[in-house]
Amino acid sequence: MSAFIDAMLERAKASKQTIVLPEGDDERTLAAAQEILAGGIADLVILGNAEAIAGSAYNLEGARIVDPAKSEDRQRYAEAFYELRKHKGVTMEDALAKMDDVIYFGTMMVKLGDADGMTCGACHATSDVLRAALQILKTAPGVKAVSSFFVMAVPDCEYGDDGVFMFADCGLEIQPDAEKLSQIAVNTGRSWQTIFGTEPRIALLSHSTFKSTVASADRDKVIEATRLAKETAPEMLIDGEMQADAAIVPSVGTSKAPGSPVAGKANILVFPDLDTGNIAYKLVQRLAKAEAYGPITQGLAKPVNDLSRGASAADIVGVVAITCVQCQAQKAQ
Ligand SMILES: CC(C)(COP(=O)(O)OP(=O)(O)OC[C@H]1O[C@@H](n2cnc3c(N)ncnc32)[C@H](O)[C@@H]1OP(=O)(O)O)[C@@H](O)C(=O)NCCC(=O)NCCS
């Protein structure tokens, strides 16, 4: 397991948070839960069939097991969900039915403070996890758009911070406009500060560096997003529009973007849309054999993180630890 995840585990243990794991019917989730409980990483609420979970091969002593179908909180969560969504045409009957969905039930738990955060997605689509979070938890104060990032750890790499980068948004916002792109940049900078505690250097990427190409809507979107991001967070090192090599390679940064505080030393790469972000992280993961952790959600009022459906138990433990660190940071604000 990487140094990054080790650090997250240690920080999670330092101030235990309560995390909901709604996929208690999933074997890997239960294996992860056993490890989390044994390691003192988090307090857990596990959703699912209580008898099946209790009868599993795993030692889940200390976890709160909740069966949404039988829970005494079902009505309370449904009523709160109805209040949140009735302006969208949701009826009380719809709300009660929604509580059969473990993702919605778990998200309501977080909303009402019965847990601090949630980690799931081992057997649910990303869009299902995020839609519930967006509908129920909404954005944190001051944040207009929820987005996501990957922590990329590239072996034997002198760029970024010893090969460590954040890539955003590679998982959520499909076609951000300039304002949303600027939010992705600033919020990823804040996530860097939360997770690493060091200075983020944020590059907004394009096919062009400092207007080196002819004007186009794509290029100008990144130029405008850079302007807005700098305006929103003047204390942060943010620059763009720039090409990927100008962002990370010092000699190219100096020649293509002289005077930039970011060019040549960026540790955060902000992509213009989900296509470029998603393609880039997968190429770096496969071709450079990088470790890729994410997508980690940012900007929600309370932390919810999605898992890849191929996630192993160890991956789930890691994402729970990251969720705990985000919970700690939000409480400290
Ligand atoms: C996240 C996602 C599911 C939301 O899209 P959707 O299903 O079309 O849902 P909607 O657009 O109806 O949005 C649902 C709610 O979330 C809100 N929302 C959507 N995107 C948001 C964002 N980035 N930040 C904050 N709120 C957002 C909407 O305003 C809406 O709120 P409301 O219902 O209270 O009005 C969608 O953007 C998505 O699927 N993204 C890609 C995720 C994915 O599959 N990733 C894996 C491959 S990379």
Side-chain angles (χ1 to χ4, degrees):
M1 191 168 294
S2 82
F4 163 63
I5 291 295
D6 284 347
M8 293 297 104
L9 291 170
E10 286 313 308
R11 284 176 59 188
K13 287 181 206 172
S15 168
K16 268 202 298 185
Q17 305 295 307
T18 301
I19 303 298
V20 192
L21 298 177
E23 296 165 320
D25 298 337
D26 174 68
E27 187 83 9
R28 294 160 296 164
T29 299
L30 296 184
Q34 175 175 276
E35 198 177 324
I36 291 162
L37 294 165
I41 297 159
D43 292 324
L44 294 179
V45 183
I46 304 173
L47 304 186
N49 181 306
E51 279 167 26
I53 293 171
S56 74
Y58 301 98
N59 178 2
L60 302 172
E61 204 181 320
R64 193 177 152 214
I65 314 284
V66 176
D67 185 340
K70 298 182 184 156
S71 167
E72 60 192 21
D73 291 319
R74 183 188 165 82
Q75 181 73 24
R76 183 167 65 93
Y77 292 167
E79 281 168 16
F81 180 74
Y82 166 69
E83 286 304 323
L84 283 168
R85 303 296 297 170
K86 64 184 179 192
H87 69 287
K88 292 279 175 179
V90 171
T91 64
M92 188 56 208
E93 200 181 331
D94 298 332
L96 267 169
K98 271 285 186 213
M99 295 307 117
D100 289 338
D101 180 333
V102 288
I103 302 291
Y104 274 82
F105 189 96
T107 311
M108 284 310 300
M109 236 176 185
V110 176
K111 175 76 181 175
L112 296 185
D114 294 338
D116 299 310
M118 182 167 87
T119 301
C120 57
C123 40
H124 286 84
T126 298
S127 51
D128 293 337
V129 174
L130 295 178
R131 192 176 299 107
L134 292 170
Q135 287 179 355
I136 294 170
L137 299 170
K138 306 273 181 196
T139 52
V143 174
K144 290 185 192 125
V146 173
S147 57
S148 73
F149 62 90
F150 275 82
V151 172
M152 305 294 297
V154 188
D156 303 321
C157 172
E158 68 271 39
Y159 306 131
D161 280 14
D162 289 329
V164 174
F165 294 88
M166 280 185 180
F167 284 15
D169 180 353
C170 314
L172 199 155
E173 190 63 65
I174 296 170
Q175 194 55 261
D177 59 15
E179 191 179 6
K180 283 186 172 169
L181 194 58
S182 73
Q183 287 256 316
I184 292 168
V186 171
N187 292 332
T188 309
R190 297 203 173 117
S191 291
W192 181 282
Q193 289 164 334
T194 296
I195 287 190
F196 296 116
T198 56
E199 184 162 60
R201 300 181 297 276
I202 306 163
L204 285 95
L205 299 187
S206 164
H207 60 278
S208 156
T209 302
F210 287 8
K211 299 192 177 171
S212 61
T213 62
V214 290
S216 70
D218 287 345
R219 186 200 76 172
D220 292 346
K221 176 178 91 168
V222 181
I223 293 173
E224 175 62 1
T226 306
R227 188 189 69 75
L228 290 169
K230 286 180 175 175
E231 193 177 276
T232 307
E235 74 288 1
M236 279 189 194
L237 296 179
I238 301 174
D239 216 350
E241 92 294 18
M242 65 180 76
Q243 289 157 284
D245 56 354
I248 63 172
V249 181
S251 58
V252 181
T254 308
S255 81
K256 288 191 174 178
S260 166
V262 171
K265 46 186 180 235
N267 50 23
I268 295 181
L269 303 183
V270 178
F271 297 89
D273 56 30
L274 189 59
D275 271 343
T276 49
N278 195 268
I279 292 165
Y281 107 77
K282 285 185 188 291
L283 284 178
V284 172
Q285 182 184 27
R286 299 291 171 176
L287 298 182
K289 301 190 177 5
E291 295 168 42
Y293 301 99
I296 302 165
T297 318
Q298 58 188 0
L300 281 169
K302 290 189 178 178
V304 168
N305 279 309
D306 179 45
L307 297 161
S308 141
R309 267 181 283 182
S312 65
D315 294 333
I316 300 173
V317 175
V319 178
V320 166
I322 294 167
T323 311
C324 290
V325 170
Q326 290 180 310
C327 293
Q328 292 167 352
Q330 278 197 351
K331 287 183 186 176
Q333 274 169 9

